[in-house]
Amino acid sequence: MVTFKEEKWNGLGVGNLLVSANGTVHASPPYLPIRAFGRFDGYKISNPCDGLICLYTFTRIINLVNPATTSRRRLPDPRPDGGVSHPILIGIGRENSACPRYKLVWFFESYDKGMCNTTRCMVFALDSNTWRNVDPPHDCRVHYDHPLIHLEGVMYCFAHSRWDLKLLAFDLHTETSQSFSITPDIGVSYFDKLIMRLLNHRLCIFKSFVDKDDLVLKIWGLDMNKRSWEVMYSIDLSCLPPEFKESRISPIETIHNYVIISN
């Protein structure tokens, strides 16, 4: 587990927290604070890929951190010539399970002259240490309040078109994107009511709240080949303690045939 805290010099402190099987907690000495991150920079943290995480701000301060080795790498500014690019969303992934080539994907809204209010995309390859522009999604706009998720060489995020909610899939090898409509059977119309997770090595979505009129939580899994969704788990929430029914809920992991739920 990786922990973060603000230091007194407006730096961001990063440390490791190890939890053993018997519940014993071991805290490692913290790294030196990341001075480049100020208190008001509004930093964001990407989902991990093979233990690597990305810390970044809308001012394009981007750090790649490996908590296992306590190493940190500052990445070059994607747009050194300036330009407004906010909001932004960055994720890290690997091209495929056999290839150790890592890439970062950066989605952002451009307000440059002639490109006002359009979604753009850039890709950073760690081996070449360079950013480059790639074709952005054409039929939808990225939703920036949920992190990118990596699975088998593809980066996933929520997106929206004029008519419906979508899931955007960006292939790290071909550097192209495609979108999938989110099943209307899930029963939500806004992204703040949805959560995306990897469960049992499959991309899943589900409602983030307990519906008092329907106490069965359905977890939907994506079938990439069929471009469709199917119910992977149906969980009866009526047996949960009352406090679970009054707050957001989130399945976070699967162990054998059990689903671990957190609130």
Side-chain angles (χ1 to χ4, degrees):
M1 181 183 299
V2 183
T3 60
F4 302 91
K5 67 176 181 178
E6 291 183 353
E7 300 290 346
K8 61 182 179 180
W9 292 287
N10 280 351
L12 182 64
V14 186
N16 279 334
L17 192 65
L18 305 178
V19 182
S20 65
N22 62 7
T24 304
V25 177
H26 305 276
S28 69
Y31 314 144
L32 292 176
I34 302 176
R35 304 293 184 199
F37 284 83
R39 178 173 298 175
F40 304 107
D41 276 336
Y43 58 84
K44 299 176 75 173
I45 305 169
S46 74
N47 270 21
C49 175
D50 296 342
L52 299 175
I53 56 176
C54 183
L55 307 176
Y56 61 98
T57 73
F58 71 90
T59 54
R60 301 190 299 273
I61 299 172
I62 305 170
N63 281 267
L64 188 65
V65 179
N66 186 339
T69 62
T70 69
S71 63
R72 176 173 58 87
R73 174 177 169 182
R74 174 75 177 268
L75 304 185
D77 188 340
R79 306 184 70 192
D81 56 342
V84 179
S85 49
H86 180 68
I88 65 175
L89 185 63
I90 296 178
I92 181 172
R94 187 170 53 173
E95 280 198 4
N96 56 60
S97 58
C99 176
R101 192 180 190 207
Y102 294 93
K103 293 181 179 179
L104 275 75
V105 178
W106 178 37
F107 289 112
F108 62 98
E109 295 296 302
S110 175
Y111 297 92
D112 296 346
K113 185 177 181 180
M115 302 188 68
C116 183
N117 203 26
T118 59
T119 298
R120 296 181 60 186
C121 181
M122 296 185 73
V123 171
F124 179 86
L126 268 65
D127 52 1
S128 63
N129 200 47
T130 55
W131 290 94
R132 62 181 179 278
N133 288 291
V134 298
D135 291 335
H138 298 290
D139 60 344
C140 57
R141 302 281 296 278
V142 168
H143 177 70
Y144 293 92
D145 292 335
H146 193 288
L148 283 157
I149 291 182
H150 170 257
L151 176 64
E152 295 181 347
V154 180
M155 303 296 298
Y156 295 93
C157 67
F158 287 131
H160 56 88
S161 67
R162 185 176 180 181
W163 306 111
D164 59 359
L165 307 183
K166 290 183 176 291
L167 179 76
L168 183 66
F170 183 88
D171 189 297
L172 290 172
H173 179 66
T174 63
E175 297 183 355
T176 57
S177 59
Q178 58 178 318
S179 62
F180 305 84
S181 292
I182 291 178
T183 173
D185 295 332
I186 200 169
V188 298
S189 303
Y190 302 97
F191 285 120
D192 61 350
K193 305 294 185 182
L194 277 178
I195 294 180
M196 186 190 324
R197 288 282 190 275
L198 293 181
L199 298 175
N200 199 20
H201 203 64
R202 189 170 179 182
L203 191 83
C204 298
I205 59 173
F206 46 87
K207 292 190 291 188
S208 62
F209 61 97
V210 177
D211 190 339
K212 295 181 180 180
D213 298 324
D214 183 8
L215 291 178
V216 176
L217 174 66
K218 293 181 179 179
I219 301 177
W220 297 80
L222 174 65
D223 188 324
M224 281 283 288
N225 296 325
K226 297 180 180 179
R227 297 179 60 88
S228 62
W229 300 88
E230 62 182 13
V231 176
M232 290 185 60
Y233 303 96
S234 292
I235 303 173
D236 184 1
L237 301 178
S238 62
C239 60
L240 294 179
E243 57 268 22
F244 268 82
K245 303 174 186 178
E246 298 174 357
S247 60
R248 291 172 63 91
I249 57 174
S250 177
I252 58 175
E253 189 56 85
T254 56
I255 299 178
H256 303 300
N257 292 324
Y258 294 92
V259 178
I260 301 175
I261 299 177
S262 170
N263 69 338

